[in-house]
Amino acid sequence: SAVISQKPSRDICQRGTSLTIQCQVDSQVTMMFWYRQQPGQSLTLIATANQGSEATYESGFVIDKFPISRPNLTFSTLTVSNMSPEDSSIYLCSVWGISSYNEQFFGPGTRLTVL
Amino acid sequence: AQSVTQPDIHITVSEGASLELRCNYSYGATPYLFWYVQSPGQGLQLLLKYFSGDTLVQGIKGFEAEFKRSQSSFNLRKPSVHWSDAAEYFCAVDIAGQGAQKLVFGQGTRLTINP
C-alpha cells in the first residue's frame, strides 16, 4: 500500500487569506487527486494533479481558487485561495497507481476552518 | 449522469446484530465499485472492491458486498457488528472505466452501534 501524509493536519484561518496543503507519498504514484469533504457531506473530487503539467479540474472548481502543483511523482500541494467560511472542509489527497494495486489510497486529511 | 445513492443517512444497530448498508449506482457501463470506511479523525480505508467475476466479494474486517447488476446495487453486509465498526461508510463508483481513477462517492451512511 502507501503511506500518505498531509500537512497541516488542521488549521484555522481568517477569511481572505490562503492556505497551502501538502501531500507526500512514500513511493512514486501514477496519479494524485484532491478531494473536498464539507461538514457532514460526502467527498467531492476537486482535481487530478498531473505531474509536470496543469491540474485537471472538475466542474465547479477553478484553478484561480484551488491552484495545484505536482512537481514530482511523490508530492503535491493544494492551495485554497481567498478563503471564505464556505471553504471550511476537510481536504484529502489520494493516490492511485502503486505497484499492482488498482485502488485509491487516501491521506488522513486536512481540517480547515475559516473564520 | 453517473451517481451513487446511499438511501440511509444514519443506521443504528446493536452490537452482535447483522448489518446491511445499501448502495445503488447509476452508470452506463460495467461499474468498478468500492466501499470505504471513515472512522472519526481518520482517513478513508478501503473495505472491498468489485471489478468483475464473482458477484459476492469479501473484504477486510469481516465485511462482504454483493453486486447485483439487475438492481444496480452493491450492498455491504456484516453478519455480526462490533462496537469498533461505528463509523461513516461510503460507497463509490469509478466513472473513468479503468478501475479506480475517478471516483464518485455516495452521501455516506453513519453507523452507530448500541452496546
Side-chain angles (χ1 to χ4, degrees):
Chain A
S1 62
V3 177
I4 306 169
S5 61
Q6 288 185 232
K7 291 182 181 179
S9 58
R10 59 178 61 224
D11 207 341
I12 301 173
C13 301
Q14 298 297 319
R15 71 168 66 215
T17 62
S18 299
L19 176 71
T20 296
I21 302 168
Q22 300 179 1
C23 178
Q24 179 75 54
V25 193
D26 66 345
S27 57
Q28 294 184 348
V29 297
T30 306
M31 303 180 79
M32 297 183 76
F33 308 91
W34 287 97
Y35 288 84
R36 180 176 72 182
Q37 186 178 21
Q38 294 176 300
Q41 303 295 314
S42 184
L43 285 81
T44 301
L45 180 63
I46 297 172
T48 302
N50 300 311
Q51 194 261 327
S53 64
E54 194 170 285
T56 304
Y57 289 84
E58 298 300 310
S59 176
F61 297 97
V62 296
I63 188 172
D64 290 345
K65 176 66 176 178
F66 298 101
I68 288 171
S69 77
R70 190 179 172 193
N72 56 53
L73 294 176
T74 64
F75 185 78
S76 177
T77 66
L78 167 75
T79 299
V80 186
S81 303
N82 188 25
M83 289 184 286
S84 67
E86 292 70 36
D87 294 320
S88 298
S89 296
I90 297 173
Y91 292 87
L92 299 104
C93 74
S94 72
V95 303
W96 179 90
I98 296 176
S99 185
S100 61
Y101 292 95
N102 192 350
E103 64 183 81
Q104 283 191 29
F105 295 92
F106 285 82
T110 295
R111 183 180 294 273
L112 171 62
T113 302
V114 184
L115 303 178
Chain B
Q2 303 96 336
S3 65
V4 178
T5 301
Q6 292 179 245
D8 305 306
I9 296 174
H10 186 200
I11 285 182
T12 300
V13 299
S14 298
E15 190 169 16
S18 64
L19 172 71
E20 182 169 30
L21 303 183
R22 297 183 290 166
C23 172
N24 293 97
Y25 65 90
S26 172
Y27 183 64
T30 301
Y32 295 86
L33 296 159
F34 307 82
W35 274 101
Y36 283 87
V37 60
Q38 186 178 39
S39 299
Q42 304 292 315
L44 270 74
Q45 181 181 23
L46 181 68
L47 288 175
L48 46 78
K49 61 187 177 186
Y50 172 78
F51 286 177
S52 64
D54 193 346
T55 56
L56 184 64
V57 294
Q58 302 296 320
I60 62 172
K61 303 185 180 185
F63 285 93
E64 66 178 26
E66 185 171 14
F67 170 61
K68 292 185 178 180
R69 183 185 298 276
S70 62
Q71 299 178 19
S72 298
S73 69
F74 188 56
N75 294 348
L76 181 72
R77 301 194 294 247
K78 186 169 185 178
S80 177
V81 298
H82 186 263
W83 64 266
S84 61
D85 292 325
E88 187 90 19
Y89 290 81
F90 293 96
C91 181
V93 62
D94 168 72
I95 62 173
Q98 298 184 45
Q101 295 185 24
K102 191 164 185 176
L103 298 183
V104 172
F105 284 83
Q107 285 300 104
T109 298
R110 179 170 300 278
L111 176 63
T112 298
I113 308 295
N114 281 338

